[in-house]
Amino acid sequence: MGKLLRTIFLVDLFQGLWVTFRNQNPKYIYTEQYPQERPKVAERYRGAPRLNINPDNGETLCISCNLCALACPEALIVVTSQRNETTKRKDLTTFTYDTSRCMFCGLCEDACPVDALELTQDFEMATYTREGQIWDRQMLEEGPRPTQYKC
Amino acid sequence: MPDATFLDSTELVLNMGPQHPSTHGVLRVILKLDGEKVLGADCVIGYLHRGVEKIAENRTFAQFNPYVDRMDYVAAISNGLGYCLAVEKVMNVEAPPRAQTVRVILTELNRIASHLLWLGTHALDIGAITPVFYCLREREEALKIFEKYCGARLTTHAFRIGGLLYETYDGFEKDIRDFCTMFLPKVDEYEELLTNNRIWVSRLKDVGILSAEECKEFGVTGPVLRAAGVKWDLRKAQPYSGYEKYDFEIPTRQNGDTYDRYVVRMQEMRQSVRIMQQAVDSLAEGPIMGKVGKVIKPPVGEAYVSIEAPKGELGYYVVCDGATQPYRVRVRPPSFVNLQALDRMIRGGLVADVVAVIGTLDIVLGEVDR
């Protein structure tokens, strides 16, 4: 009898509707207003790569050991270097990082012995060309420059 | 397949997918119809084939680790755990206790995230729009914990062979505890929306029945098997990563229809919360990386490790020939094996039930095609 009454008075449906109305409270708004408000990504977020420079003298921290290129599963890092005859060390000449093939696994930054290569919290890496996805040394040191639109 | 019987009609072959939104990706189902009745179904898979097993042969053991996340991308952490356990078994090392506990916490959190996505999309397929918003809202909390822990939300690359790379962040335990207390009332909320809802019940009851015998014939595992009444869970049957320490139950149901699979998964989420609470309480200080060198070079040998992924038994078979690259990696994906039961489940049903049955199997096409 009770079951019949519950069926006739649509108790199950109103129960569900009550949940819906309970969640209408504006304090439960979860929408991110993305371009206006930047989402705060986690500290360990693996985003755009960066090649760190020594802040004191502006020289690169990279010792061109090539370990990141060997660790990369997609082999998308190319490091070239030149032997410096005066210091007997390798000087970094070019460093290219193809972000179009990168899957941001973080193996390259784990491999780096001097913390020169790092995956940063930047995530706006869109470009208009495929060539623009291949980052050279200058871009890696300066970081991405996403186009800012103002209205 | 039997021939059409309805009046003098001939059977109609209907092509469903690969772009159909209810096929959860790129599954193509060729349906043979007699009016509205389904006579049989053929699955055409391979639209998302990337050759992951072949890629493994050209990568070192550590390099292949990010690729396993991309098979079942909804439960990437479970995939990572299975692969790491398999390689660890070949190398005969074990992750330290703290690493094991953190692994259990994250894997269970991933199980909840996977089941939430399943619940949302399954309800959406049936026609209930609201649950998907609530499910994704709670899933977001789980993904935030993943992001804080390892820096990525979906394709996490959280575990390394031999243990963990990342130490837990400050406030990790609090985040997990808060999630557990926040989440249990939310499960009640989903159940309030769906469990007794007459539309939900009449759409799901006695649809896509798969008996225990048929499950065993097909090799179906996971919630589909447990909904048919078989108490089989690899976390209990062959405990790995310290699961024997935790007290939890294996939810089962008897009928093996779509509704039972829904109930089993809802209860599994509650059990996952229980495991997480126990694991967080037992989280002790200690090292997080086992005795593994920088270059992973296992001895000649092979190992098969299967774990209980959210979708069923996920197995990794790794063959090593002494090099730094695997000789062969074979994956036993739960979705792929479960999908073959689709034909049996929808035979005699209606076209609308096909959507319900595909949804209840909880397939991820990235894992089916690999």
Side-chain angles (χ1 to χ4, degrees):
Chain A
M1 188 64 193
K3 203 183 168 200
L4 183 72
L5 281 175
R6 287 169 76 90
T7 316
I8 291 169
F9 288 107
L10 307 170
V11 173
D12 50 336
L13 295 182
F14 282 116
Q15 225 176 11
L17 279 175
W18 171 234
V19 175
T20 314
F21 282 114
R22 225 163 45 204
N23 280 280
Q24 298 297 311
N25 194 328
K27 76 176 181 198
Y28 296 131
I29 290 177
Y30 281 78
T31 313
E32 277 177 2
Q33 302 295 331
Y34 164 56
Q36 282 86 37
E37 286 171 36
R38 300 280 139 149
K40 201 175 168 296
V41 295
E43 210 174 300
R44 293 174 181 176
Y45 186 80
R46 302 194 298 259
R50 183 177 63 200
L51 199 58
N52 288 328
I53 53 173
N54 188 340
D56 296 333
N57 52 16
E59 279 174 19
T60 181
L61 287 176
C62 179
I63 53 169
S64 21
C65 63
N66 210 32
L67 282 177
C68 51
L70 291 173
C72 181
E74 286 289 327
L76 52 83
I77 302 173
V78 179
V79 185
T80 58
S81 58
Q82 209 171 26
R83 195 164 183 85
N84 190 330
E85 288 304 325
T86 49
T87 56
K88 300 283 181 210
R89 280 157 69 180
K90 284 198 278 187
D91 280 354
L92 183 69
T93 45
T94 61
F95 193 106
T96 49
Y97 191 110
D98 186 352
T99 55
S100 65
R101 285 191 286 143
C102 183
M103 56 181 170
F104 304 99
C105 61
L107 284 173
C108 52
E109 65 173 350
D110 299 347
C112 188
V114 289
D115 291 337
L117 189 63
E118 211 179 318
L119 295 181
T120 60
Q121 288 166 302
D122 291 323
F123 52 88
E124 288 166 319
M125 302 165 66
T127 54
Y128 285 104
T129 55
R130 281 172 66 172
E131 288 75 27
Q133 300 267 308
I134 302 170
W135 290 17
D136 57 6
R137 186 179 163 186
Q138 188 196 358
M139 188 139 174
L140 283 166
E141 284 174 355
E142 287 169 359
R145 296 260 172 82
T147 320
Q148 300 278 341
Y149 296 100
K150 291 196 178 79
C151 54
Chain B
M1 290 182 197
D3 291 329
T5 53
F6 183 69
L7 297 178
D8 289 331
S9 64
T10 50
E11 71 257 352
L12 173 77
V13 176
L14 183 73
N15 188 37
M16 187 176 165
Q19 282 103 351
H20 194 284
S22 297
T23 55
H24 292 230
V26 285
L27 172 68
R28 180 174 164 214
V29 186
I30 299 170
L31 294 169
K32 204 174 167 194
L33 301 176
D34 173 18
E36 185 80 352
K37 217 175 92 188
V38 179
L39 296 176
D42 285 325
C43 291
V44 182
I45 59 171
Y47 290 93
L48 205 57
H49 178 68
R50 292 152 295 177
V52 172
E53 290 175 8
K54 193 69 192 169
I55 288 174
E57 294 166 23
N58 301 310
R59 300 286 187 275
T60 63
F61 284 93
Q63 278 179 346
F64 183 59
N65 207 348
Y67 290 88
V68 297
D69 293 348
R70 282 152 178 84
M71 278 187 274
D72 182 0
Y73 39 79
V74 180
I77 289 186
S78 297
N79 278 270
L81 178 64
Y83 174 68
C84 288
L85 286 175
V87 180
E88 281 163 17
K89 194 174 171 188
V90 179
M91 296 173 72
N92 204 13
V93 292
E94 205 173 44
R98 181 178 168 84
Q100 287 191 355
T101 316
V102 174
R103 280 177 173 187
V104 166
I105 294 170
L106 290 172
T107 319
E108 290 306 315
L109 194 60
N110 205 173
R111 186 185 310 278
I112 289 174
S114 169
H115 280 357
L116 280 176
L117 189 77
W118 161 81
L119 177 65
T121 50
H122 183 44
L124 204 61
D125 287 344
I126 304 295
I129 310 288
T130 316
V132 72
F133 302 117
Y134 301 158
C135 290
L136 291 187
R137 183 183 65 194
E138 270 74 72
R139 180 169 175 262
E140 197 68 17
E141 299 300 318
L143 296 188
K144 270 181 195 158
I145 294 176
F146 295 153
E147 188 186 335
K148 279 191 200 164
Y149 172 71
C150 60
R153 289 152 49 86
L154 218 57
T155 46
T156 46
H157 194 202
F159 306 145
R160 298 295 193 277
I161 294 155
L164 306 168
L165 175 72
Y166 306 107
E167 184 52 83
T168 55
Y169 58 91
D170 292 337
F172 173 76
E173 293 166 37
K174 185 179 174 295
D175 273 3
I176 298 286
R177 285 203 180 95
D178 286 354
F179 180 86
C180 291
T181 45
M182 177 277 289
F183 186 64
L184 281 177
K186 301 285 182 190
V187 185
D188 296 336
E189 208 171 86
Y190 311 142
E191 296 232 43
E192 218 173 305
L193 275 173
L194 295 172
T195 305
N196 294 320
N197 186 302
R198 64 186 68 189
I199 307 168
W200 181 255
V201 173
S202 51
R203 277 299 301 276
L204 297 191
K205 272 260 183 217
D206 299 326
V207 166
I209 296 176
L210 200 66
S211 68
E213 282 69 40
E214 285 171 324
C215 283
K216 285 174 193 162
E217 275 173 32
F218 282 115
V220 166
T221 46
V224 185
L225 178 68
R226 291 193 280 276
V230 182
K231 216 171 175 150
W232 177 255
D233 189 319
L234 286 169
R235 289 174 292 176
K236 286 267 193 209
Q238 309 165 2
Y240 54 88
S241 199
Y243 265 109
E244 65 276 1
K245 286 184 289 192
Y246 308 114
D247 172 38
F248 63 100
E249 281 153 28
I250 310 172
T252 50
R253 295 274 287 187
Q254 293 310 317
N255 300 331
D257 60 1
T258 307
Y259 186 78
D260 280 1
R261 289 188 276 273
Y262 155 74
V263 175
V264 163
R265 286 201 177 94
M266 296 307 271
Q267 287 173 356
E268 256 177 37
M269 287 202 271
R270 293 175 200 274
Q271 297 299 327
S272 290
V273 169
R274 260 179 82 185
I275 298 173
M276 275 160 62
Q277 280 167 337
Q278 293 169 39
V280 165
D281 290 338
S282 68
L283 194 59
E285 291 295 315
I288 54 167
M289 198 66 184
K291 285 194 181 65
V292 176
K294 257 221 149 23
V295 177
I296 293 162
K297 199 171 176 184
V300 181
E302 54 188 54
Y304 177 79
V305 169
S306 55
I307 64 161
E308 187 72 28
K311 291 162 183 73
E313 180 189 337
L314 171 71
Y316 277 90
Y317 178 58
V318 179
V319 184
C320 305
D321 58 354
T324 54
Q325 297 177 335
Y327 179 76
R328 176 88 167 94
V329 172
R330 157 76 188 156
V331 189
R332 186 244 188 245
S335 303
F336 177 65
V337 180
N338 290 1
L339 183 61
Q340 61 181 335
L342 178 73
D343 177 47
R344 179 74 60 90
M345 287 161 86
I346 60 177
R347 234 174 235 195
L350 304 175
V351 180
D353 296 341
V354 177
V355 171
V357 170
I358 293 173
T360 192
L361 278 175
D362 193 14
I363 47 165
V364 166
L365 268 296
E367 191 179 44
V368 174
D369 296 339
R370 299 195 293 291

